[in-house]
Amino acid sequence: MTANMELTQTRETIRVVIADDHPVYLSGLRMLLDLIGEVEVVGEARTGTEALSEIYRLRPHLALMDVNMPGTSGIEVTKTIATRCPDTSVIMLSMLEDRDTFLAAMRAGARGYLVKGASSEDIGQAIGTVRRGGVVFGSEVANWALDYLNKPRESSKPFPELTDRERAVLELVADGLGNASIARRLGLSIKTVRNYLSRIFAKLQIADRTEAAVQARRAGLGN
């Protein structure tokens, strides 16, 4: 079934906002969507904050959202949309075939997850499926969804939106360690630790490491 046939069955023009911090990819994505019948790109954004603003203003049917954007991450934007704009569905786009990021995106409320490089037909089929109430994964990540659904339930971990490495960094923050000490303990560079902290703050919607330490200790992390 072609992308146009998939979307024609929805019998409506699907209003879409696209969000990505790379201008070239954003332009290319718009051109791909222009080839798909029944899709209208009504807004663009290059940061998480801009994406939220455009979605609040335009109330599109669907957002195609990059995972990693300056400021508020695509995952945090998705979590906010799921709460405040439930009529807008989100399909996540990612350069990385990363299991933890995929799971975090789906927990945040995304209705689809595609690896960048998907064809216009794949994107069209995904948009049509999600608009009709379905959930869609790219072939690259479909097995992760099956593995996750089929594996035995584990005891719940605090902050499930964090990866194991991010949780390890947060636990050391709760212990009062600075960036240099965390880097030595985990065998990372200080810059990498800073990047982890930025992602942790974004995912947990907190402002600084003091608040991070308080939340972590309340959740049982730290010695």
Side-chain angles (χ1 to χ4, degrees), residues 89 115 149 173:
S89 301
V115 174
L149 292 172
V173 170

Side-chain angles (χ1 to χ4, degrees), residues 97-129:
E97 297 181 22
D98 174 65
R99 184 190 301 259
D100 288 331
T101 300
F102 162 71
L103 293 175
M106 302 314 293
R107 291 190 191 105
R111 301 291 297 178
Y113 191 99
L114 298 175
V115 174
K116 289 183 179 180
S119 67
S120 60
E121 182 174 1
D122 288 339
I123 294 174
Q125 289 177 345
I127 291 173
T129 297

Side-chain angles (χ1 to χ4, degrees), residues 59-76:
R59 300 289 170 163
H61 297 115
L62 190 140
L64 290 175
M65 184 81 57
D66 185 21
V67 169
N68 295 309
M69 289 189 293
T72 307
S73 72
I75 290 173
E76 284 307 308

Side-chain angles (χ1 to χ4, degrees), residues 10-87:
T10 66
R11 297 181 180 178
E12 66 176 341
T13 297
I14 301 176
R15 301 169 67 251
V16 176
V17 165
I18 54 178
D20 195 284
D21 64 329
H22 295 285
V24 173
Y25 182 79
L26 196 65
S27 176
L29 182 58
R30 175 183 273 276
M31 287 191 292
L32 273 180
L33 293 175
D34 286 343
L35 298 174
I36 301 173
E38 311 300 328
V39 169
E40 178 188 5
V41 177
V42 296
E44 297 182 3
R46 296 185 182 179
T47 69
T49 301
E50 287 179 4
L52 280 175
S53 177
E54 287 294 274
I55 290 165
Y56 289 155
R57 181 175 70 88
L58 298 167
R59 300 289 170 163
H61 297 115
L62 190 140
L64 290 175
M65 184 81 57
D66 185 21
V67 169
N68 295 309
M69 289 189 293
T72 307
S73 72
I75 290 173
E76 284 307 308
V77 173
T78 300
K79 187 183 297 183
T80 301
I81 291 170
T83 301
R84 300 185 182 179
C85 304
D87 292 333

Side-chain angles (χ1 to χ4, degrees), residues 80-223:
T80 301
I81 291 170
T83 301
R84 300 185 182 179
C85 304
D87 292 333
T88 298
S89 301
V90 177
I91 296 176
M92 302 299 299
L93 301 171
S94 176
M95 286 290 295
L96 302 175
E97 297 181 22
D98 174 65
R99 184 190 301 259
D100 288 331
T101 300
F102 162 71
L103 293 175
M106 302 314 293
R107 291 190 191 105
R111 301 291 297 178
Y113 191 99
L114 298 175
V115 174
K116 289 183 179 180
S119 67
S120 60
E121 182 174 1
D122 288 339
I123 294 174
Q125 289 177 345
I127 291 173
T129 297
V130 169
R131 182 59 186 150
R132 291 192 301 275
V135 177
V136 64
F137 313 119
S139 58
E140 300 86 348
V141 301
N143 287 334
W144 297 344
L146 292 174
D147 289 345
Y148 178 72
L149 292 172
N150 292 329
K151 73 179 181 180
R153 296 286 293 179
E154 300 175 353
S155 58
S156 59
K157 296 180 181 179
F159 310 116
E161 61 268 58
L162 301 183
T163 66
D164 289 342
R165 179 64 87 173
E166 288 166 350
R167 196 176 294 105
V169 170
L170 180 59
E171 185 157 18
L172 294 176
V173 170
D175 287 337
L177 274 65
N179 289 357
S181 297
I182 294 173
R184 286 195 298 271
R185 184 76 63 88
L186 298 179
L188 304 171
S189 70
I190 293 176
K191 180 179 179 181
T192 299
V193 171
R194 291 196 191 103
N195 289 339
Y196 275 125
L197 288 173
S198 295
R199 293 207 294 269
I200 291 167
F201 295 167
K203 288 182 179 181
L204 300 184
Q205 295 184 307
I206 54 181
D208 54 39
R209 67 190 305 129
T210 299
E211 187 178 355
V214 170
Q215 288 203 22
R217 286 192 169 278
R218 285 176 179 170
L221 296 180
N223 296 321

